[in-house]
PDB file of all heavy atoms in Angstrom:
ATOM      1  N   MET A   1     149.845  39.608  39.852  1.00 92.00           N
ATOM      2  CA  MET A   1     149.584  40.866  40.560  1.00 92.00           C
ATOM      3  C   MET A   1     150.710  41.220  41.524  1.00 92.00           C
ATOM      4  O   MET A   1     151.146  42.371  41.594  1.00 92.00           O
ATOM      5  CB  MET A   1     148.258  40.758  41.330  1.00 92.00           C
ATOM      6  CG  MET A   1     147.047  40.655  40.429  1.00 92.00           C
ATOM      7  SD  MET A   1     145.513  40.516  41.375  1.00 92.00           S
ATOM      8  CE  MET A   1     144.321  40.348  40.050  1.00 92.00           C
ATOM      9  N   PHE A   2     151.193  40.225  42.266  1.00 91.00           N
ATOM     10  CA  PHE A   2     152.303  40.490  43.180  1.00 91.00           C
ATOM     11  C   PHE A   2     153.556  40.897  42.398  1.00 91.00           C
ATOM     12  O   PHE A   2     154.332  41.747  42.857  1.00 91.00           O
ATOM     13  CB  PHE A   2     152.609  39.248  44.024  1.00 91.00           C
ATOM     14  CG  PHE A   2     151.623  38.999  45.127  1.00 91.00           C
ATOM     15  CD1 PHE A   2     151.065  37.747  45.323  1.00 91.00           C
ATOM     16  CD2 PHE A   2     151.260  40.025  46.004  1.00 91.00           C
ATOM     17  CE1 PHE A   2     150.166  37.500  46.354  1.00 91.00           C
ATOM     18  CE2 PHE A   2     150.369  39.796  47.043  1.00 91.00           C
ATOM     19  CZ  PHE A   2     149.810  38.539  47.208  1.00 91.00           C
ATOM     20  N   THR A   3     153.760  40.288  41.245  1.00 91.00           N
ATOM     21  CA  THR A   3     154.922  40.638  40.414  1.00 91.00           C
ATOM     22  C   THR A   3     154.809  42.076  39.931  1.00 91.00           C
ATOM     23  O   THR A   3     155.799  42.822  39.902  1.00 91.00           O
ATOM     24  CB  THR A   3     155.021  39.675  39.223  1.00 91.00           C
ATOM     25  OG1 THR A   3     155.141  38.326  39.701  1.00 91.00           O
ATOM     26  CG2 THR A   3     156.233  40.003  38.360  1.00 91.00           C
ATOM     27  N   ALA A   4     153.597  42.474  39.571  1.00 89.00           N
ATOM     28  CA  ALA A   4     153.382  43.837  39.052  1.00 89.00           C
ATOM     29  C   ALA A   4     153.718  44.904  40.080  1.00 89.00           C
ATOM     30  O   ALA A   4     154.233  45.975  39.734  1.00 89.00           O
ATOM     31  CB  ALA A   4     151.938  43.990  38.581  1.00 89.00           C
ATOM     32  N   VAL A   5     153.455  44.634  41.368  1.00 83.00           N
ATOM     33  CA  VAL A   5     153.749  45.620  42.409  1.00 83.00           C
ATOM     34  C   VAL A   5     155.117  45.390  43.038  1.00 83.00           C
ATOM     35  O   VAL A   5     155.526  46.127  43.935  1.00 83.00           O
ATOM     36  CB  VAL A   5     152.664  45.612  43.510  1.00 83.00           C
ATOM     37  CG1 VAL A   5     151.304  45.982  42.923  1.00 83.00           C
ATOM     38  CG2 VAL A   5     152.595  44.258  44.219  1.00 83.00           C
ATOM     39  N   GLY A   6     155.834  44.358  42.590  1.00 82.00           N
ATOM     40  CA  GLY A   6     157.194  44.106  43.078  1.00 82.00           C
ATOM     41  C   GLY A   6     157.271  43.485  44.458  1.00 82.00           C
ATOM     42  O   GLY A   6     158.291  43.622  45.140  1.00 82.00           O
ATOM     43  N   ASP A   7     156.215  42.796  44.898  1.00 84.00           N
ATOM     44  CA  ASP A   7     156.219  42.157  46.220  1.00 84.00           C
ATOM     45  C   ASP A   7     156.865  40.776  46.088  1.00 84.00           C
ATOM     46  O   ASP A   7     156.201  39.760  45.879  1.00 84.00           O
ATOM     47  CB  ASP A   7     154.797  42.039  46.763  1.00 84.00           C
ATOM     48  CG  ASP A   7     154.776  41.666  48.237  1.00 84.00           C
ATOM     49  OD1 ASP A   7     155.786  41.127  48.723  1.00 84.00           O
ATOM     50  OD2 ASP A   7     153.764  41.914  48.888  1.00 84.00           O
ATOM     51  N   GLN A   8     158.203  40.742  46.227  1.00 86.00           N
ATOM     52  CA  GLN A   8     158.942  39.505  46.003  1.00 86.00           C
ATOM     53  C   GLN A   8     158.682  38.461  47.092  1.00 86.00           C
ATOM     54  O   GLN A   8     158.654  37.260  46.819  1.00 86.00           O
ATOM     55  CB  GLN A   8     160.435  39.813  45.918  1.00 86.00           C
ATOM     56  CG  GLN A   8     160.786  40.725  44.754  1.00 86.00           C
ATOM     57  CD  GLN A   8     162.269  41.009  44.682  1.00 86.00           C
ATOM     58  OE1 GLN A   8     163.031  40.214  44.141  1.00 86.00           O
ATOM     59  NE2 GLN A   8     162.687  42.141  45.225  1.00 86.00           N
ATOM     60  N   ALA A   9     158.482  38.924  48.308  1.00 86.00           N
ATOM     61  CA  ALA A   9     158.198  37.979  49.392  1.00 86.00           C
ATOM     62  C   ALA A   9     156.886  37.256  49.140  1.00 86.00           C
ATOM     63  O   ALA A   9     156.782  36.036  49.343  1.00 86.00           O
ATOM     64  CB  ALA A   9     158.161  38.710  50.727  1.00 86.00           C
ATOM     65  N   ALA A  10     155.860  37.995  48.699  1.00 90.00           N
ATOM     66  CA  ALA A  10     154.573  37.368  48.395  1.00 90.00           C
ATOM     67  C   ALA A  10     154.690  36.433  47.199  1.00 90.00           C
ATOM     68  O   ALA A  10     154.097  35.359  47.171  1.00 90.00           O
ATOM     69  CB  ALA A  10     153.518  38.433  48.133  1.00 90.00           C
ATOM     70  N   CYS A  11     155.478  36.844  46.202  1.00 93.00           N
ATOM     71  CA  CYS A  11     155.704  35.978  45.035  1.00 93.00           C
ATOM     72  C   CYS A  11     156.324  34.649  45.460  1.00 93.00           C
ATOM     73  O   CYS A  11     155.935  33.579  44.972  1.00 93.00           O
ATOM     74  CB  CYS A  11     156.621  36.669  44.027  1.00 93.00           C
ATOM     75  SG  CYS A  11     155.850  38.025  43.104  1.00 93.00           S
ATOM     76  N   ALA A  12     157.284  34.725  46.372  1.00 94.00           N
ATOM     77  CA  ALA A  12     157.931  33.499  46.853  1.00 94.00           C
ATOM     78  C   ALA A  12     156.925  32.565  47.505  1.00 94.00           C
ATOM     79  O   ALA A  12     156.959  31.344  47.315  1.00 94.00           O
ATOM     80  CB  ALA A  12     159.045  33.853  47.839  1.00 94.00           C
ATOM     81  N   GLU A  13     155.996  33.142  48.268  1.00 94.00           N
ATOM     82  CA  GLU A  13     154.983  32.318  48.935  1.00 94.00           C
ATOM     83  C   GLU A  13     154.062  31.652  47.912  1.00 94.00           C
ATOM     84  O   GLU A  13     153.697  30.484  48.060  1.00 94.00           O
ATOM     85  CB  GLU A  13     154.162  33.185  49.889  1.00 94.00           C
ATOM     86  CG  GLU A  13     153.196  32.403  50.756  1.00 94.00           C
ATOM     87  CD  GLU A  13     152.525  33.263  51.811  1.00 94.00           C
ATOM     88  OE1 GLU A  13     153.042  34.367  52.094  1.00 94.00           O
ATOM     89  OE2 GLU A  13     151.490  32.837  52.339  1.00 94.00           O
ATOM     90  N   VAL A  14     153.710  32.391  46.856  1.00 96.00           N
ATOM     91  CA  VAL A  14     152.846  31.826  45.820  1.00 96.00           C
ATOM     92  C   VAL A  14     153.569  30.721  45.061  1.00 96.00           C
ATOM     93  O   VAL A  14     152.972  29.696  44.713  1.00 96.00           O
ATOM     94  CB  VAL A  14     152.364  32.921  44.849  1.00 96.00           C
ATOM     95  CG1 VAL A  14     151.516  32.306  43.736  1.00 96.00           C
ATOM     96  CG2 VAL A  14     151.545  33.964  45.593  1.00 96.00           C
ATOM     97  N   TYR A  15     154.868  30.885  44.810  1.00 97.00           N
ATOM     98  CA  TYR A  15     155.626  29.826  44.136  1.00 97.00           C
ATOM     99  C   TYR A  15     155.598  28.529  44.931  1.00 97.00           C
ATOM    100  O   TYR A  15     155.540  27.432  44.362  1.00 97.00           O
ATOM    101  CB  TYR A  15     157.071  30.277  43.902  1.00 97.00           C
ATOM    102  CG  TYR A  15     157.259  31.113  42.665  1.00 97.00           C
ATOM    103  CD1 TYR A  15     157.798  32.392  42.748  1.00 97.00           C
ATOM    104  CD2 TYR A  15     156.910  30.636  41.413  1.00 97.00           C
ATOM    105  CE1 TYR A  15     157.986  33.180  41.612  1.00 97.00           C
ATOM    106  CE2 TYR A  15     157.086  31.413  40.274  1.00 97.00           C
ATOM    107  CZ  TYR A  15     157.614  32.682  40.373  1.00 97.00           C
ATOM    108  OH  TYR A  15     157.787  33.439  39.250  1.00 97.00           O
ATOM    109  N   VAL A  16     155.639  28.651  46.265  1.00 96.00           N
ATOM    110  CA  VAL A  16     155.531  27.446  47.094  1.00 96.00           C
ATOM    111  C   VAL A  16     154.184  26.759  46.875  1.00 96.00           C
ATOM    112  O   VAL A  16     154.106  25.532  46.712  1.00 96.00           O
ATOM    113  CB  VAL A  16     155.723  27.789  48.585  1.00 96.00           C
ATOM    114  CG1 VAL A  16     155.329  26.603  49.472  1.00 96.00           C
ATOM    115  CG2 VAL A  16     157.166  28.176  48.865  1.00 96.00           C
ATOM    116  N   GLU A  17     153.104  27.560  46.864  1.00 96.00           N
ATOM    117  CA  GLU A  17     151.777  26.972  46.658  1.00 96.00           C
ATOM    118  C   GLU A  17     151.652  26.358  45.274  1.00 96.00           C
ATOM    119  O   GLU A  17     151.051  25.286  45.117  1.00 96.00           O
ATOM    120  CB  GLU A  17     150.697  28.047  46.870  1.00 96.00           C
ATOM    121  CG  GLU A  17     150.615  28.591  48.290  1.00 96.00           C
ATOM    122  CD  GLU A  17     150.292  27.519  49.310  1.00 96.00           C
ATOM    123  OE1 GLU A  17     149.560  26.568  48.964  1.00 96.00           O
ATOM    124  OE2 GLU A  17     150.769  27.623  50.450  1.00 96.00           O
ATOM    125  N   LEU A  18     152.208  27.006  44.264  1.00 97.00           N
ATOM    126  CA  LEU A  18     152.193  26.433  42.914  1.00 97.00           C
ATOM    127  C   LEU A  18     153.000  25.135  42.871  1.00 97.00           C
ATOM    128  O   LEU A  18     152.637  24.193  42.158  1.00 97.00           O
ATOM    129  CB  LEU A  18     152.751  27.439  41.904  1.00 97.00           C
ATOM    130  CG  LEU A  18     151.802  28.593  41.534  1.00 97.00           C
ATOM    131  CD1 LEU A  18     152.545  29.666  40.743  1.00 97.00           C
ATOM    132  CD2 LEU A  18     150.608  28.077  40.729  1.00 97.00           C
ATOM    133  N   GLY A  19     154.090  25.092  43.628  1.00 97.00           N
ATOM    134  CA  GLY A  19     154.873  23.863  43.715  1.00 97.00           C
ATOM    135  C   GLY A  19     154.068  22.731  44.325  1.00 97.00           C
ATOM    136  O   GLY A  19     154.138  21.581  43.872  1.00 97.00           O
ATOM    137  N   ARG A  20     153.282  23.032  45.362  1.00 96.00           N
ATOM    138  CA  ARG A  20     152.437  22.008  45.982  1.00 96.00           C
ATOM    139  C   ARG A  20     151.397  21.487  44.989  1.00 96.00           C
ATOM    140  O   ARG A  20     151.119  20.291  44.939  1.00 96.00           O
ATOM    141  CB  ARG A  20     151.735  22.581  47.209  1.00 96.00           C
ATOM    142  CG  ARG A  20     152.656  22.943  48.370  1.00 96.00           C
ATOM    143  CD  ARG A  20     151.875  23.556  49.512  1.00 96.00           C
ATOM    144  NE  ARG A  20     150.961  22.573  50.088  1.00 96.00           N
ATOM    145  CZ  ARG A  20     149.808  22.885  50.682  1.00 96.00           C
ATOM    146  NH1 ARG A  20     149.423  24.150  50.732  1.00 96.00           N
ATOM    147  NH2 ARG A  20     149.041  21.952  51.193  1.00 96.00           N
ATOM    148  N   VAL A  21     150.831  22.411  44.185  1.00 97.00           N
ATOM    149  CA  VAL A  21     149.859  21.994  43.175  1.00 97.00           C
ATOM    150  C   VAL A  21     150.521  21.083  42.153  1.00 97.00           C
ATOM    151  O   VAL A  21     149.997  20.012  41.810  1.00 97.00           O
ATOM    152  CB  VAL A  21     149.239  23.225  42.483  1.00 97.00           C
ATOM    153  CG1 VAL A  21     148.386  22.795  41.296  1.00 97.00           C
ATOM    154  CG2 VAL A  21     148.402  24.035  43.462  1.00 97.00           C
ATOM    155  N   ALA A  22     151.695  21.497  41.657  1.00 96.00           N
ATOM    156  CA  ALA A  22     152.413  20.676  40.673  1.00 96.00           C
ATOM    157  C   ALA A  22     152.750  19.300  41.242  1.00 96.00           C
ATOM    158  O   ALA A  22     152.661  18.282  40.550  1.00 96.00           O
ATOM    159  CB  ALA A  22     153.691  21.394  40.232  1.00 96.00           C
ATOM    160  N   GLN A  23     153.104  19.258  42.500  1.00 95.00           N
ATOM    161  CA  GLN A  23     153.444  17.986  43.144  1.00 95.00           C
ATOM    162  C   GLN A  23     152.216  17.074  43.204  1.00 95.00           C
ATOM    163  O   GLN A  23     152.329  15.867  42.966  1.00 95.00           O
ATOM    164  CB  GLN A  23     153.981  18.255  44.546  1.00 95.00           C
ATOM    165  CG  GLN A  23     154.735  17.099  45.156  1.00 95.00           C
ATOM    166  CD  GLN A  23     155.535  17.520  46.381  1.00 95.00           C
ATOM    167  OE1 GLN A  23     155.896  18.684  46.522  1.00 95.00           O
ATOM    168  NE2 GLN A  23     155.812  16.579  47.254  1.00 95.00           N
ATOM    169  N   GLN A  24     151.047  17.637  43.503  1.00 95.00           N
ATOM    170  CA  GLN A  24     149.829  16.842  43.528  1.00 95.00           C
ATOM    171  C   GLN A  24     149.459  16.346  42.138  1.00 95.00           C
ATOM    172  O   GLN A  24     148.861  15.281  41.992  1.00 95.00           O
ATOM    173  CB  GLN A  24     148.674  17.661  44.117  1.00 95.00           C
ATOM    174  CG  GLN A  24     148.748  17.859  45.611  1.00 95.00           C
ATOM    175  CD  GLN A  24     148.609  16.562  46.372  1.00 95.00           C
ATOM    176  OE1 GLN A  24     147.910  15.656  45.956  1.00 95.00           O
ATOM    177  NE2 GLN A  24     149.310  16.460  47.501  1.00 95.00           N
TER     178      GLN A  24
END
């Protein structure tokens, strides 16, 4: 959804959370 509206800052924050999930 953030990608669809072009909110790159929000996308960056979600990538961090996905990284934490992958790390776990």
Side-chain angles (χ1 to χ4, degrees):
M1 293 180 182
F2 284 132
T3 301
V5 298
D7 192 339
Q8 298 180 83
C11 287
E13 187 173 342
V14 177
Y15 277 122
V16 168
E17 295 299 327
L18 285 169
R20 293 178 66 209
V21 172
Q23 197 166 335
Q24 286 295 327

